Structure formats: C-alpha cells, structure tokens
C-alpha cells in the first residue's frame, strides 16, 4: 500500500518553525508505529504570490 501526506515543516519565524517540525515529527512517528515506512520526500515550492511563509513537504509512505 502507498500513502502520501503533506506536512508543514517550517516557517520564517524560528519558534513557529520549531513547533511545525515537532508536529511533523510526532505525526511521522505515529505512522511509523502503524508499520508505515518512509519512501520518498518531496519539497513543495512556495507560491511566490502568497504571504504564507510556511514550508511544506510531501512524504510518500509504503506499508
């Protein structure tokens, strides 16, 4: 089985970046306990016309 999820992995603010990395880590660890393995990571390019400063990554998992 394959699964893809998009997680927020950073921000321009250092404390928000730390918060988002921790949340992403906890999500990935919860999936790891359910026997999902990380297959590939893709970085999603930010939209240059948006004021959103979050950084996103797409994680591909297999079971």
């Amino acid at each position: 089985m394959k699964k893809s999820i998009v997680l927020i992995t950073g921000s321009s603010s250092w404390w928000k970046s730390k918060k988002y990395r921790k949340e992403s880590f906890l999500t990935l660890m919860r999936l790891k306990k359910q026997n999902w393995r990380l297959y590939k990571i893709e970085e999603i390019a930010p939209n240059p016309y948006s004021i959103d400063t979050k950084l996103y990554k797409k994680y591909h998992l297999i079971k």
Side-chain angles (χ1 to χ4, degrees), residues 3-18:
K3 180 183 210 176
S4 295
I5 59 171
V6 176
L7 296 175
I8 304 170
T9 57
S11 179
S12 61
S13 171
W14 68 270
W15 60 272
K16 284 184 185 178
S17 187
K18 185 177 175 182

Side-chain angles (χ1 to χ4, degrees), residues 6-43:
V6 176
L7 296 175
I8 304 170
T9 57
S11 179
S12 61
S13 171
W14 68 270
W15 60 272
K16 284 184 185 178
S17 187
K18 185 177 175 182
K19 172 189 160 192
Y20 292 139
R21 281 195 313 265
K22 184 177 180 182
E23 289 175 354
S24 297
F25 168 77
L26 293 174
T27 303
L28 291 172
M29 287 299 108
R30 188 170 55 246
L31 289 169
K32 185 177 179 182
K33 288 183 181 178
Q34 298 172 1
N35 295 326
W36 287 97
R37 291 185 307 155
L38 187 61
Y39 174 65
K40 185 170 61 169
I41 302 172
E42 290 180 28
E43 193 166 327

